[in-house]
Amino acid sequence: MKILIHGKNLELTGPLKEYTEAKIEKATHHYKDIVKEVDIHLSIEKNPRVSFQTAEVTIFANGTIIRAEEKTENLYSSIDLVSNKLCRKLRKYKERHNKKLHNNLVKNKNSYSNAIEESVSIDKDIFNEEREVRLPEPSIKKKYFEMIPTSLEEARKQLDFIDHEFYVFRNKVNNELQVIYKRNHGGYGLIQSK
């Protein structure tokens, strides 16, 4: 299992890395056969009025992406909470997966390639011709995924694992890109082209 740890607005000290790795390894201990890579992002908010310290973890498990994020006032407690959340999600994933295998409903599927995350910042001069101060353009965070065709039901299950409000996927039936999302009043919605 490959573990990558990234820090934003903090120094990744040896004890912090060891603590994070130990907690994530403990959370994934029973699932080492399915977990291929773990990507961990630790960050501290720079704004003194907001004292959030975030632990965000993405797990690549046999073609499924499992994501969890926690924000607290203490980075170590964020790591504890996110590891507990991951353990629950991995257990849920394995139970669903074993249930499918037991019922012989699972077909061989291609595994997803590793997601590559890239941050692109747009550099602009903070002054225009009249020497007025303006804010720099916000950065754009890009993510690249291999989109293997999947069923609508599998996309809905994937949405439950990633902790986002929406999930973009390629529909297995018509090979079109579609978006499934969580509705505010419960249930799911599907966005598709005409």
Side-chain angles (χ1 to χ4, degrees):
M1 176 175 68
K2 182 177 174 184
I3 298 178
L4 302 171
I5 302 176
H6 309 280
K8 180 179 177 186
N9 298 330
L10 66 104
E11 180 184 344
L12 289 173
T13 62
L16 179 60
K17 283 183 180 180
E18 289 173 13
Y19 184 81
T20 305
E21 286 178 3
K23 284 305 227 176
I24 298 303
E25 285 176 358
K26 184 177 179 184
T28 60
H29 175 72
H30 297 294
Y31 311 101
K32 286 189 177 190
D33 56 330
I34 60 172
V35 175
K36 305 301 179 204
E37 182 178 333
V38 180
D39 192 18
I40 305 165
H41 291 270
L42 305 174
S43 63
I44 296 177
E45 186 63 39
K46 273 189 171 181
N47 188 345
R49 294 183 188 175
V50 181
S51 60
F52 287 126
Q53 299 185 9
T54 306
E56 178 184 338
V57 181
T58 305
I59 292 180
F60 302 97
N62 286 349
T64 301
I65 298 171
I66 300 171
R67 183 183 171 280
E69 178 179 355
E70 285 294 335
K71 293 180 181 182
T72 64
E73 293 183 4
N74 182 316
L75 189 57
Y76 286 93
S77 63
S78 294
I79 294 166
D80 291 343
L81 291 172
V82 82
S83 69
N84 292 338
K85 190 183 243 185
L86 284 171
C87 194
R88 287 191 305 272
K89 286 187 174 199
L90 283 166
R91 185 180 319 114
K92 186 176 178 182
Y93 168 77
K94 192 151 186 177
E95 286 171 1
R96 283 185 181 176
H97 190 69
N98 285 342
K99 192 176 194 180
K100 286 182 186 179
L101 287 175
H102 181 68
N103 295 332
N104 294 325
L105 296 176
V106 175
K107 297 178 181 178
N108 290 334
K109 293 187 178 190
N110 296 328
S111 65
Y112 291 103
S113 66
N114 293 336
I116 302 171
E117 191 173 303
E118 174 185 338
S119 294
V120 177
S121 60
I122 302 169
D123 294 329
K124 299 258 181 174
D125 187 20
I126 60 169
F127 295 104
N128 61 12
E129 292 82 28
E130 290 87 31
R131 304 294 290 168
E132 294 176 1
V133 176
R134 59 188 172 128
L135 294 175
E137 293 291 324
S139 64
I140 298 171
K141 185 176 181 180
K142 292 184 178 182
K143 292 184 179 182
Y144 298 94
F145 296 95
E146 181 180 345
M147 298 194 111
I148 296 172
T150 186
S151 67
L152 180 61
E153 184 62 24
E154 285 297 319
R156 185 193 62 78
K157 289 177 184 173
Q158 183 69 29
L159 176 63
D160 292 338
F161 286 129
I162 61 172
D163 265 356
H164 282 302
E165 299 299 317
F166 66 93
Y167 180 70
V168 180
F169 68 102
R170 186 172 300 279
N171 194 318
K172 187 183 262 186
V173 176
N174 55 15
N175 207 31
E176 290 182 358
L177 287 179
Q178 296 181 344
V179 178
I180 188 169
Y181 62 95
K182 294 179 184 176
R183 299 185 66 213
N184 291 336
H185 301 292
Y188 299 89
L190 182 69
I191 300 173
Q192 55 190 358
S193 62
K194 277 189 169 183

